[in-house]
Amino acid sequence: MLQKQAGVSAWLFSAIVMILGVVNAEDPYRFFNWNVTYGNIYPLGVRQQGILINGQFPGPEIYSVTNDNLIINVHNSLPEPFLLSWNGLQQRRNSYQDGVYGTTCPIPPGKNFTYTLQVKDQIGSFFYFPSLAFHKAAGGFGAIKILSRPRIPVPFPEPAGDYSLLIGDWYKTNHTKLKTILDRGHRLPFPDAILINGRGANATSFTFEQGKTYRLRISNVGLQNSLNFRIQGHKMKLVEVEGTHTMQTTFSELDIHVGQSYSVLVTTDQPAQDYFVAVSTRFTRRVLTTTATLHYSNSKRPVSGEIPGGPTTQIAWSLNQARAIRTNLTASGPRPNPQGSYHYGLINISRTIKLESSAAQVDAKQRYAVNSVSFVPADTPLKIADYFKIGGVFRVGSISDNPTGKKMYLDTSVMGADYRAFVEIVFQNHENIVQSWHIDGYSFWVVGMDGGVWTPSSRKQYNLRDAVSRCTTQVYPNSWTAIYMALDNVGMWNVRSEFWARQYLGQQFYLRVYSPVESIRDEFPIPKNALLCGRAAGKQTRPL
């Protein structure tokens, strides 16, 4: 016992030493010590091998406040390499901590790595997940909650409770078998079910007091399907989307696309009984539905009646809802100044990037691409190779700004971009599925979306005043979505499909936001404890 305490004390000391000089010592620290293992889970009533963090599935919730320093020591007790990534955390000036293979060396079996994250100038609802080897299909994900600092006003009264809900599609099949299907060049079958907080139908319950208002932070941590969320007999007031306080629009049901996070307020203003919480797939021939229970603490009746139905394949309904989600311009964000004080619509665009997704066979195997390039990982993380100036790992400009019309091919695709540029990115979808796109390191303004093919005249319908700022956006079938993004965060950033099989089979690339001034003002130096692998193995980071 004394040896274990001494080990933890030594880790805390070394962690503090490690972060001095890298983060602002005036901001609070929160320490986490996680052990990642395989273990038996039973989300659908049958035994499965899941990824547990400290024995938990889903993993522990990260509770934090704006500007907190999160020191997360991850012990990898799996028999293979492992990484965690942090969906929506911007890693300001510090893409080394992003936890995807393009930026961070995997944690070897039996070893540990301490992430040093700061939730700099961020609030809101996010999640973490395992980024390697299709581990996401086995668990290892958890909620991230970033509260406003005490003196920063929040545009709604403090709720009676604050709950995280992780929803997502799920397979009974072991993740290694799913990975093998993909590695052999095949598509995955349709998922088996939907989980709510790691449990199947009727297995999760939330107890609320009648007459009070509660906050639900809902994240779609699944592998491919858009999901519709609703509560029997109750309305939901949307208040926050991925770190942005929104106009407080009321919805009966809410579409949450894969990788997205929403916060809603729910008031228990109905008769004292139990009610269905329902989640179902969207835009699928076969509709999967699962339920949880909203239990009034003074309930006199169990849940009854039919499970509330939701929309199924209606695209126009979802598009109109997406357009209704707008930024609350007068509310404070992570800082006291109003969210509307940054007038993104008045800034000149310095570059337009058009990204077109595609699906095809390459060497008789299923692959997915962006602008005809299907991404393949290099033998060394790109950010590590960039720091050590290791040639031959990747080439900046290996993916075009625009669709090329070429036949799909494999490459380690990296797009270069200038620090402080202000760019327009158009996601063009010619396929018959809803897509979901995420950009690490950034939030962006979703200025427009519509059916058909984007043209310069499409800018006439842009929202240049109060578009929502977020990190994950959907693109509807045979449609386009346009975003504005200020490139104010130097680093190597993953741009990816959140449809996880597509991401795994190449529908991603890296955006290298570069500043020629090698200054800590623009980017933190490589972490002293950075793991080094591939062609960087044996090199030195910085003196401890």
Side-chain angles (χ1 to χ4, degrees):
M1 182 68 177
L2 290 175
Q3 288 180 338
K4 184 176 180 180
Q5 290 176 339
V8 172
S9 299
W11 166 70
L12 289 172
F13 175 78
S14 62
I16 292 170
V17 170
M18 178 184 66
I19 63 179
L20 289 177
V22 177
V23 296
N24 187 345
E26 296 177 357
D27 294 314
Y29 300 98
R30 295 181 188 270
F31 293 92
F32 304 83
N33 197 26
W34 289 356
N35 185 32
V36 180
T37 61
Y38 281 129
N40 292 331
I41 58 174
Y42 300 84
L44 301 178
V46 296
R47 186 174 66 182
Q48 293 182 248
Q49 183 190 62
I51 293 178
L52 312 179
I53 299 179
N54 291 354
Q56 300 178 42
F57 167 75
E61 180 176 277
I62 293 178
Y63 172 94
S64 60
V65 176
T66 300
N67 293 345
D68 279 357
N69 300 301
L70 310 180
I71 313 304
I72 306 173
N73 185 29
V74 178
H75 301 261
N76 179 18
S77 296
L78 303 183
E80 67 258 17
F82 183 79
L83 274 178
L84 284 173
S85 190
W86 320 91
N87 214 68
L89 299 195
Q90 293 175 9
Q91 317 290 358
R92 304 297 301 178
R93 298 184 290 164
N94 200 10
S95 64
Y96 295 104
Q97 305 285 351
D98 201 33
V100 289
Y101 182 67
T103 62
T104 314
C105 285
I107 307 170
K111 302 296 183 181
N112 75 297
F113 175 70
T114 301
Y115 291 88
T116 303
L117 317 175
Q118 186 179 26
V119 288
K120 181 68 175 173
D121 291 334
Q122 286 195 263
I123 57 168
S125 311
F126 308 98
F127 63 92
Y128 61 87
F129 66 95
S131 61
L132 297 181
F134 224 65
H135 283 149
K136 192 180 180 189
F141 45 73
I144 301 174
K145 186 183 296 184
I146 309 176
L147 276 65
S148 297
R149 288 172 289 175
R151 285 176 286 183
I152 306 298
V154 175
F156 50 86
E158 184 174 354
D162 189 332
Y163 293 82
S164 295
L165 279 75
L166 303 178
I167 61 176
D169 48 19
W170 187 260
Y171 289 90
K172 293 179 183 177
T173 306
N174 188 285
H175 76 281
T176 58
K177 293 182 179 179
L178 296 175
K179 178 178 176 295
T180 299
I181 292 172
L182 296 174
D183 290 338
R184 291 176 176 171
H186 304 296
R187 299 187 182 202
L188 294 182
F190 192 66
D192 295 299
I194 299 169
L195 303 187
I196 300 176
N197 285 352
R199 297 184 178 187
N202 306 314
T204 303
S205 178
F206 304 93
T207 299
F208 293 170
E209 292 185 31
Q210 191 176 29
K212 295 190 175 181
T213 298
Y214 294 82
R215 182 174 184 173
L216 303 181
R217 301 171 185 258
I218 314 159
S219 295
N220 185 340
V221 299
L223 299 175
Q224 67 185 60
N225 282 296
S226 300
L227 299 175
N228 183 266
F229 182 91
R230 53 206 180 271
I231 303 174
Q232 182 184 26
H234 292 73
K235 301 289 187 182
M236 299 177 290
K237 184 183 290 184
L238 183 67
V239 293
E240 178 255 331
V241 173
E242 294 161 22
T244 297
H245 286 134
T246 61
M247 296 299 293
Q248 295 182 12
T249 307
T250 298
F251 297 106
S252 298
E253 51 263 326
L254 190 62
D255 275 355
I256 305 175
H257 304 277
V258 64
Q260 293 185 340
S261 298
Y262 290 83
S263 274
V264 298
L265 297 180
V266 176
T267 299
T268 49
D269 54 4
Q270 298 300 304
Q273 65 175 72
D274 293 355
Y275 296 88
F276 283 116
V277 176
V279 182
S280 57
T281 54
R282 288 283 269 126
F283 319 111
T284 56
R285 289 190 182 94
R286 176 185 160 209
V287 178
L288 293 175
T289 301
T290 195
T291 59
T293 301
L294 172 57
H295 172 70
Y296 278 38
S297 60
N298 60 339
S299 173
K300 296 177 173 57
R301 290 178 55 195
V303 67
S304 61
E306 294 185 358
I307 298 171
T312 53
T313 60
Q314 302 92 328
I315 292 171
W317 183 94
S318 187
L319 175 61
N320 289 333
Q321 182 177 81
R323 288 172 171 166
I325 298 172
R326 296 171 179 263
T327 295
N328 184 336
L329 298 178
T330 60
S332 297
R335 295 184 177 185
N337 50 304
Q339 293 179 137
S341 59
Y342 189 96
H343 302 288
Y344 68 90
L346 301 179
I347 302 173
N348 292 327
I349 299 167
S350 57
R351 180 180 177 186
T352 296
I353 299 167
K354 188 175 180 182
L355 304 176
E356 187 174 281
S357 61
S358 58
Q361 298 272 318
V362 177
D363 297 329
K365 291 186 175 183
Q366 182 65 51
R367 297 290 301 186
Y368 301 93
V370 185
N371 290 356
S372 299
V373 188
S374 186
F375 182 86
V376 289
D379 60 7
T380 307
L382 309 181
K383 184 60 186 173
I384 302 293
D386 207 16
Y387 174 81
F388 287 110
K389 297 179 171 55
I390 301 171
V393 175
F394 69 91
R395 179 176 62 86
V396 176
S398 48
I399 180 172
S400 170
D401 278 21
N402 290 282
T404 63
K406 293 181 180 179
K407 186 178 180 180
M408 187 184 294
Y409 62 97
L410 309 180
D411 201 353
T412 304
S413 38
V414 177
M415 182 182 291
D418 294 331
Y419 179 45
R420 298 194 185 284
F422 192 82
V423 300
E424 172 189 45
I425 300 177
V426 178
F427 296 98
Q428 182 69 58
N429 178 12
H430 293 299
E431 301 181 71
N432 292 320
I433 63 168
V434 175
Q435 299 184 349
S436 188
W437 287 90
H438 177 87
I439 302 179
D440 281 352
Y442 285 93
S443 285
F444 45 74
W445 292 272
V446 184
V447 294
M449 54 178 65
D450 205 355
V453 176
W454 181 91
T455 66
S457 65
S458 302
R459 295 184 180 120
K460 294 176 184 177
Q461 45 181 302
Y462 282 5
N463 177 0
L464 299 181
R465 182 175 181 270
D466 60 356
V468 69
S469 177
R470 63 186 314 166
C471 57
T472 307
T473 188
Q474 69 272 32
V475 190
Y476 291 100
N478 300 299
S479 300
W480 56 267
T481 294
I483 67 172
Y484 280 1
M485 191 164 77
L487 300 184
D488 58 358
N489 196 11
V490 173
M492 188 78 71
W493 303 108
N494 191 219
V495 181
R496 62 176 178 266
S497 169
E498 287 285 355
F499 191 137
W500 214 239
R502 285 177 168 250
Q503 175 272 152
Y504 182 79
L505 293 179
Q507 204 158 80
Q508 61 170 305
F509 68 94
Y510 282 83
L511 184 68
R512 180 181 183 256
V513 180
Y514 178 72
S515 169
V517 180
E518 295 184 359
S519 165
I520 193 172
R521 180 192 64 190
D522 297 339
E523 184 176 27
F524 289 143
I526 190 170
K528 295 176 182 179
N529 69 325
L531 299 172
L532 301 179
C533 55
R535 297 190 219 176
K539 295 184 179 292
Q540 298 294 319
T541 56
R542 296 181 291 140
L544 288 173

